[in-house]
């Protein structure tokens, strides 16, 4: 994995150089609406520290940062009234997951039935892959 790039879009949002539609801000995290929503509710939660991905975050961040980050994810879902109807939390890590912005972000999706877990993946019709584990 390459080094953190200070010029990624979410770093610019954190520095106030680009606008965002803020949902919630805490000491270590910021939540804002995705610019290209894939569901009626599509919010991104990012840590304020410079972490590329979930792997980078859990290996380098403090316990305080990690706990508050995940608490913020849960609080956003509650704030947006998703806990009754349901929601999905996901984070794309690197190439296979099609990560586009290399500052850790967790997607919170909800507000409609979301269908099966994986969407958009090219599952070979001949079933040539084997599940791991
Ligand atoms: P990824 O594929 O890296 O998991 O998701 C990146 C997400 O960032 C996408 O859902 C995309 O719509 C969102 N995004 C990209 N640029 C911006 C932006 O400038 N503002 C906001 N709010 N979201 C963005």
């Amino acid at each position: 994995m390459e080094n953190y790039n200070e010029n990624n879009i979410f770093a610019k949002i954190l520095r106030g150089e680009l606008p965002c539609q803020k949902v919630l801000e805490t000491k270590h995290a910021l939540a804002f609406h995705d610019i290209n929503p894939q569901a009626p509710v599509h919010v991104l939660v990012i840590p304020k520290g410079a972490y590329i991905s979930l792997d980078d975050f859990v290996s380098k961040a403090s316990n305080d940062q990690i706990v508050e980050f995940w608490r913020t994810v849960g609080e956003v879902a509650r704030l947006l009234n998703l806990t009754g109807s349901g929601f999905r939390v996901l984070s794309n890590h690197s190439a296979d997951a099609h990560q586009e912005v290399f500052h850790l972000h967790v997607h919170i999706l909800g507000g409609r039935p979301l269908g099966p877990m994986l969407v958009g993946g090219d599952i070979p019709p001949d079933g040539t892959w084997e599940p791991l584990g």
Side-chain angles (χ1 to χ4, degrees), residues 4-15 17-19 32 35 46 100-103:
Y4 183 83
N5 179 351
E6 296 286 347
N7 287 320
N8 75 73
I9 287 166
F10 296 165
K12 289 182 180 179
I13 286 176
L14 280 170
R15 291 196 295 268
E17 295 166 12
L18 286 176
F32 53 90
I35 206 168
I46 65 174
E100 289 179 352
V101 180
F102 289 90
H103 179 114

PDB file of all heavy atoms in Angstrom, residues 4-15 17-19 32 35 46 100-103:
ATOM      1  N   TYR A   4       0.132   7.678   2.471  1.00  0.00           N
ATOM      2  CA  TYR A   4      -1.042   8.561   2.490  1.00  0.00           C
ATOM      3  C   TYR A   4      -0.781   9.813   1.649  1.00  0.00           C
ATOM      4  O   TYR A   4       0.258  10.453   1.781  1.00  0.00           O
ATOM      5  CB  TYR A   4      -1.331   8.955   3.940  1.00  0.00           C
ATOM      6  CG  TYR A   4      -2.562   9.802   4.090  1.00  0.00           C
ATOM      7  CD1 TYR A   4      -3.822   9.217   4.155  1.00  0.00           C
ATOM      8  CD2 TYR A   4      -2.474  11.188   4.158  1.00  0.00           C
ATOM      9  CE1 TYR A   4      -4.958   9.995   4.287  1.00  0.00           C
ATOM     10  CE2 TYR A   4      -3.600  11.972   4.285  1.00  0.00           C
ATOM     11  CZ  TYR A   4      -4.841  11.375   4.346  1.00  0.00           C
ATOM     12  OH  TYR A   4      -5.962  12.149   4.470  1.00  0.00           O
ATOM     13  N   ASN A   5      -1.730  10.148   0.791  1.00  0.00           N
ATOM     14  CA  ASN A   5      -1.620  11.334  -0.055  1.00  0.00           C
ATOM     15  C   ASN A   5      -2.453  12.473   0.555  1.00  0.00           C
ATOM     16  O   ASN A   5      -3.681  12.398   0.574  1.00  0.00           O
ATOM     17  CB  ASN A   5      -2.112  10.988  -1.468  1.00  0.00           C
ATOM     18  CG  ASN A   5      -2.038  12.180  -2.399  1.00  0.00           C
ATOM     19  OD1 ASN A   5      -1.781  13.310  -1.969  1.00  0.00           O
ATOM     20  ND2 ASN A   5      -2.266  11.941  -3.681  1.00  0.00           N
ATOM     21  N   GLU A   6      -1.764  13.504   1.015  1.00  0.00           N
ATOM     22  CA  GLU A   6      -2.441  14.625   1.698  1.00  0.00           C
ATOM     23  C   GLU A   6      -3.407  15.378   0.784  1.00  0.00           C
ATOM     24  O   GLU A   6      -4.179  16.210   1.249  1.00  0.00           O
ATOM     25  CB  GLU A   6      -1.402  15.634   2.234  1.00  0.00           C
ATOM     26  CG  GLU A   6      -0.473  15.099   3.309  1.00  0.00           C
ATOM     27  CD  GLU A   6      -1.155  14.938   4.670  1.00  0.00           C
ATOM     28  OE1 GLU A   6      -2.272  15.475   4.835  1.00  0.00           O
ATOM     29  OE2 GLU A   6      -0.577  14.265   5.533  1.00  0.00           O
ATOM     30  N   ASN A   7      -3.344  15.116  -0.516  1.00  0.00           N
ATOM     31  CA  ASN A   7      -4.212  15.836  -1.456  1.00  0.00           C
ATOM     32  C   ASN A   7      -5.446  15.045  -1.856  1.00  0.00           C
ATOM     33  O   ASN A   7      -6.149  15.434  -2.787  1.00  0.00           O
ATOM     34  CB  ASN A   7      -3.421  16.231  -2.703  1.00  0.00           C
ATOM     35  CG  ASN A   7      -2.469  17.364  -2.386  1.00  0.00           C
ATOM     36  OD1 ASN A   7      -2.820  18.283  -1.643  1.00  0.00           O
ATOM     37  ND2 ASN A   7      -1.257  17.284  -2.898  1.00  0.00           N
ATOM     38  N   ASN A   8      -5.731  13.942  -1.154  1.00  0.00           N
ATOM     39  CA  ASN A   8      -6.956  13.215  -1.504  1.00  0.00           C
ATOM     40  C   ASN A   8      -8.182  14.051  -1.105  1.00  0.00           C
ATOM     41  O   ASN A   8      -8.106  14.952  -0.261  1.00  0.00           O
ATOM     42  CB  ASN A   8      -6.954  11.816  -0.875  1.00  0.00           C
ATOM     43  CG  ASN A   8      -7.249  11.848   0.615  1.00  0.00           C
ATOM     44  OD1 ASN A   8      -8.383  12.078   1.023  1.00  0.00           O
ATOM     45  ND2 ASN A   8      -6.221  11.639   1.433  1.00  0.00           N
ATOM     46  N   ILE A   9      -9.308  13.734  -1.728  1.00  0.00           N
ATOM     47  CA  ILE A   9     -10.520  14.565  -1.579  1.00  0.00           C
ATOM     48  C   ILE A   9     -10.956  14.697  -0.122  1.00  0.00           C
ATOM     49  O   ILE A   9     -11.361  15.783   0.323  1.00  0.00           O
ATOM     50  CB  ILE A   9     -11.647  13.954  -2.445  1.00  0.00           C
ATOM     51  CG1 ILE A   9     -11.369  14.224  -3.921  1.00  0.00           C
ATOM     52  CG2 ILE A   9     -13.001  14.529  -2.072  1.00  0.00           C
ATOM     53  CD1 ILE A   9     -12.209  13.400  -4.857  1.00  0.00           C
ATOM     54  N   PHE A  10     -10.865  13.611   0.631  1.00  0.00           N
ATOM     55  CA  PHE A  10     -11.374  13.682   2.004  1.00  0.00           C
ATOM     56  C   PHE A  10     -10.422  14.470   2.904  1.00  0.00           C
ATOM     57  O   PHE A  10     -10.865  15.121   3.856  1.00  0.00           O
ATOM     58  CB  PHE A  10     -11.650  12.279   2.553  1.00  0.00           C
ATOM     59  CG  PHE A  10     -12.745  11.553   1.804  1.00  0.00           C
ATOM     60  CD1 PHE A  10     -12.916  10.182   1.943  1.00  0.00           C
ATOM     61  CD2 PHE A  10     -13.610  12.238   0.964  1.00  0.00           C
ATOM     62  CE1 PHE A  10     -13.921   9.521   1.251  1.00  0.00           C
ATOM     63  CE2 PHE A  10     -14.612  11.586   0.252  1.00  0.00           C
ATOM     64  CZ  PHE A  10     -14.767  10.228   0.402  1.00  0.00           C
ATOM     65  N   ALA A  11      -9.130  14.451   2.590  1.00  0.00           N
ATOM     66  CA  ALA A  11      -8.189  15.297   3.335  1.00  0.00           C
ATOM     67  C   ALA A  11      -8.538  16.763   3.083  1.00  0.00           C
ATOM     68  O   ALA A  11      -8.493  17.590   4.004  1.00  0.00           O
ATOM     69  CB  ALA A  11      -6.760  14.998   2.901  1.00  0.00           C
ATOM     70  N   LYS A  12      -8.910  17.079   1.858  1.00  0.00           N
ATOM     71  CA  LYS A  12      -9.287  18.461   1.528  1.00  0.00           C
ATOM     72  C   LYS A  12     -10.577  18.855   2.249  1.00  0.00           C
ATOM     73  O   LYS A  12     -10.717  19.991   2.712  1.00  0.00           O
ATOM     74  CB  LYS A  12      -9.441  18.624   0.016  1.00  0.00           C
ATOM     75  CG  LYS A  12      -8.107  18.560  -0.712  1.00  0.00           C
ATOM     76  CD  LYS A  12      -8.275  18.764  -2.205  1.00  0.00           C
ATOM     77  CE  LYS A  12      -6.911  18.692  -2.891  1.00  0.00           C
ATOM     78  NZ  LYS A  12      -6.992  18.845  -4.334  1.00  0.00           N
ATOM     79  N   ILE A  13     -11.511  17.919   2.343  1.00  0.00           N
ATOM     80  CA  ILE A  13     -12.753  18.197   3.086  1.00  0.00           C
ATOM     81  C   ILE A  13     -12.415  18.450   4.560  1.00  0.00           C
ATOM     82  O   ILE A  13     -12.905  19.402   5.170  1.00  0.00           O
ATOM     83  CB  ILE A  13     -13.762  17.031   2.922  1.00  0.00           C
ATOM     84  CG1 ILE A  13     -14.371  17.074   1.509  1.00  0.00           C
ATOM     85  CG2 ILE A  13     -14.855  17.081   3.990  1.00  0.00           C
ATOM     86  CD1 ILE A  13     -15.312  15.934   1.169  1.00  0.00           C
ATOM     87  N   LEU A  14     -11.537  17.632   5.123  1.00  0.00           N
ATOM     88  CA  LEU A  14     -11.158  17.810   6.533  1.00  0.00           C
ATOM     89  C   LEU A  14     -10.488  19.160   6.761  1.00  0.00           C
ATOM     90  O   LEU A  14     -10.689  19.786   7.805  1.00  0.00           O
ATOM     91  CB  LEU A  14     -10.218  16.683   6.972  1.00  0.00           C
ATOM     92  CG  LEU A  14     -10.879  15.350   7.320  1.00  0.00           C
ATOM     93  CD1 LEU A  14      -9.821  14.269   7.500  1.00  0.00           C
ATOM     94  CD2 LEU A  14     -11.742  15.460   8.561  1.00  0.00           C
ATOM     95  N   ARG A  15      -9.712  19.619   5.812  1.00  0.00           N
ATOM     96  CA  ARG A  15      -9.029  20.913   5.956  1.00  0.00           C
ATOM     97  C   ARG A  15      -9.945  22.092   5.607  1.00  0.00           C
ATOM     98  O   ARG A  15      -9.538  23.237   5.681  1.00  0.00           O
ATOM     99  CB  ARG A  15      -7.778  20.963   5.055  1.00  0.00           C
ATOM    100  CG  ARG A  15      -6.651  20.032   5.502  1.00  0.00           C
ATOM    101  CD  ARG A  15      -5.332  20.409   4.817  1.00  0.00           C
ATOM    102  NE  ARG A  15      -5.355  20.231   3.384  1.00  0.00           N
ATOM    103  CZ  ARG A  15      -4.981  19.124   2.730  1.00  0.00           C
ATOM    104  NH1 ARG A  15      -4.524  18.097   3.419  1.00  0.00           N
ATOM    105  NH2 ARG A  15      -5.029  19.059   1.414  1.00  0.00           N
ATOM    106  N   GLU A  17     -11.033  22.770   2.632  1.00  0.00           N
ATOM    107  CA  GLU A  17     -10.732  23.279   1.293  1.00  0.00           C
ATOM    108  C   GLU A  17     -11.820  22.894   0.288  1.00  0.00           C
ATOM    109  O   GLU A  17     -11.938  23.502  -0.773  1.00  0.00           O
ATOM    110  CB  GLU A  17      -9.381  22.738   0.814  1.00  0.00           C
ATOM    111  CG  GLU A  17      -8.214  23.242   1.654  1.00  0.00           C
ATOM    112  CD  GLU A  17      -6.913  22.477   1.430  1.00  0.00           C
ATOM    113  OE1 GLU A  17      -6.822  21.692   0.452  1.00  0.00           O
ATOM    114  OE2 GLU A  17      -6.003  22.652   2.245  1.00  0.00           O
ATOM    115  N   LEU A  18     -12.580  21.851   0.623  1.00  0.00           N
ATOM    116  CA  LEU A  18     -13.733  21.449  -0.186  1.00  0.00           C
ATOM    117  C   LEU A  18     -14.938  21.361   0.746  1.00  0.00           C
ATOM    118  O   LEU A  18     -14.792  20.990   1.912  1.00  0.00           O
ATOM    119  CB  LEU A  18     -13.500  20.074  -0.833  1.00  0.00           C
ATOM    120  CG  LEU A  18     -12.537  20.000  -2.010  1.00  0.00           C
ATOM    121  CD1 LEU A  18     -12.358  18.548  -2.440  1.00  0.00           C
ATOM    122  CD2 LEU A  18     -13.048  20.828  -3.186  1.00  0.00           C
ATOM    123  N   PRO A  19     -16.135  21.696   0.220  1.00  0.00           N
ATOM    124  CA  PRO A  19     -17.318  21.649   1.082  1.00  0.00           C
ATOM    125  C   PRO A  19     -17.826  20.222   1.278  1.00  0.00           C
ATOM    126  O   PRO A  19     -17.479  19.319   0.503  1.00  0.00           O
ATOM    127  CB  PRO A  19     -18.349  22.461   0.287  1.00  0.00           C
ATOM    128  CG  PRO A  19     -17.935  22.295  -1.133  1.00  0.00           C
ATOM    129  CD  PRO A  19     -16.435  22.144  -1.144  1.00  0.00           C
ATOM    130  N   PHE A  32     -20.459  12.799   6.679  1.00  0.00           N
ATOM    131  CA  PHE A  32     -21.081  13.705   5.697  1.00  0.00           C
ATOM    132  C   PHE A  32     -21.726  12.877   4.594  1.00  0.00           C
ATOM    133  O   PHE A  32     -21.387  11.707   4.387  1.00  0.00           O
ATOM    134  CB  PHE A  32     -20.055  14.689   5.120  1.00  0.00           C
ATOM    135  CG  PHE A  32     -18.815  14.042   4.556  1.00  0.00           C
ATOM    136  CD1 PHE A  32     -18.739  13.665   3.224  1.00  0.00           C
ATOM    137  CD2 PHE A  32     -17.717  13.780   5.372  1.00  0.00           C
ATOM    138  CE1 PHE A  32     -17.600  13.062   2.704  1.00  0.00           C
ATOM    139  CE2 PHE A  32     -16.573  13.173   4.866  1.00  0.00           C
ATOM    140  CZ  PHE A  32     -16.515  12.810   3.534  1.00  0.00           C
ATOM    141  N   ILE A  35     -21.460  12.298  -2.153  1.00  0.00           N
ATOM    142  CA  ILE A  35     -21.816  13.181  -3.271  1.00  0.00           C
ATOM    143  C   ILE A  35     -22.602  12.441  -4.361  1.00  0.00           C
ATOM    144  O   ILE A  35     -23.328  13.055  -5.144  1.00  0.00           O
ATOM    145  CB  ILE A  35     -20.530  13.827  -3.862  1.00  0.00           C
ATOM    146  CG1 ILE A  35     -20.826  15.138  -4.538  1.00  0.00           C
ATOM    147  CG2 ILE A  35     -19.798  12.876  -4.780  1.00  0.00           C
ATOM    148  CD1 ILE A  35     -19.577  15.950  -4.866  1.00  0.00           C
ATOM    149  N   ILE A  46     -15.485   9.379   8.246  1.00  0.00           N
ATOM    150  CA  ILE A  46     -14.027   9.317   8.096  1.00  0.00           C
ATOM    151  C   ILE A  46     -13.346   9.701   9.407  1.00  0.00           C
ATOM    152  O   ILE A  46     -13.863  10.539  10.154  1.00  0.00           O
ATOM    153  CB  ILE A  46     -13.524  10.236   6.945  1.00  0.00           C
ATOM    154  CG1 ILE A  46     -13.783  11.717   7.242  1.00  0.00           C
ATOM    155  CG2 ILE A  46     -14.157   9.846   5.627  1.00  0.00           C
ATOM    156  CD1 ILE A  46     -13.172  12.667   6.201  1.00  0.00           C
ATOM    157  N   GLU A 100     -11.788   4.000  -4.037  1.00  0.00           N
ATOM    158  CA  GLU A 100     -11.497   5.125  -4.938  1.00  0.00           C
ATOM    159  C   GLU A 100     -10.815   6.274  -4.225  1.00  0.00           C
ATOM    160  O   GLU A 100     -10.028   7.001  -4.830  1.00  0.00           O
ATOM    161  CB  GLU A 100     -12.800   5.619  -5.584  1.00  0.00           C
ATOM    162  CG  GLU A 100     -13.349   4.633  -6.606  1.00  0.00           C
ATOM    163  CD  GLU A 100     -14.656   5.101  -7.224  1.00  0.00           C
ATOM    164  OE1 GLU A 100     -15.213   6.114  -6.767  1.00  0.00           O
ATOM    165  OE2 GLU A 100     -15.101   4.425  -8.163  1.00  0.00           O
ATOM    166  N   VAL A 101     -11.162   6.475  -2.967  1.00  0.00           N
ATOM    167  CA  VAL A 101     -10.557   7.574  -2.205  1.00  0.00           C
ATOM    168  C   VAL A 101      -9.715   6.952  -1.096  1.00  0.00           C
ATOM    169  O   VAL A 101     -10.225   6.186  -0.266  1.00  0.00           O
ATOM    170  CB  VAL A 101     -11.633   8.514  -1.617  1.00  0.00           C
ATOM    171  CG1 VAL A 101     -10.968   9.639  -0.828  1.00  0.00           C
ATOM    172  CG2 VAL A 101     -12.520   9.083  -2.726  1.00  0.00           C
ATOM    173  N   PHE A 102      -8.428   7.327  -1.070  1.00  0.00           N
ATOM    174  CA  PHE A 102      -7.499   6.628  -0.180  1.00  0.00           C
ATOM    175  C   PHE A 102      -7.312   7.376   1.148  1.00  0.00           C
ATOM    176  O   PHE A 102      -6.198   7.672   1.575  1.00  0.00           O
ATOM    177  CB  PHE A 102      -6.186   6.345  -0.922  1.00  0.00           C
ATOM    178  CG  PHE A 102      -6.413   5.282  -1.969  1.00  0.00           C
ATOM    179  CD1 PHE A 102      -6.785   5.628  -3.264  1.00  0.00           C
ATOM    180  CD2 PHE A 102      -6.328   3.937  -1.640  1.00  0.00           C
ATOM    181  CE1 PHE A 102      -7.047   4.643  -4.218  1.00  0.00           C
ATOM    182  CE2 PHE A 102      -6.590   2.943  -2.583  1.00  0.00           C
ATOM    183  CZ  PHE A 102      -6.947   3.309  -3.872  1.00  0.00           C
ATOM    184  N   HIS A 103      -8.449   7.671   1.731  1.00  0.00           N
ATOM    185  CA  HIS A 103      -8.538   8.089   3.139  1.00  0.00           C
ATOM    186  C   HIS A 103      -9.666   7.216   3.692  1.00  0.00           C
ATOM    187  O   HIS A 103     -10.782   7.228   3.133  1.00  0.00           O
ATOM    188  CB  HIS A 103      -8.888   9.581   3.236  1.00  0.00           C
ATOM    189  CG  HIS A 103      -9.018  10.079   4.645  1.00  0.00           C
ATOM    190  ND1 HIS A 103      -8.153  11.002   5.195  1.00  0.00           N
ATOM    191  CD2 HIS A 103      -9.910   9.783   5.631  1.00  0.00           C
ATOM    192  CE1 HIS A 103      -8.500  11.246   6.451  1.00  0.00           C
ATOM    193  NE2 HIS A 103      -9.574  10.507   6.732  1.00  0.00           N
TER     194      HIS A 103
END
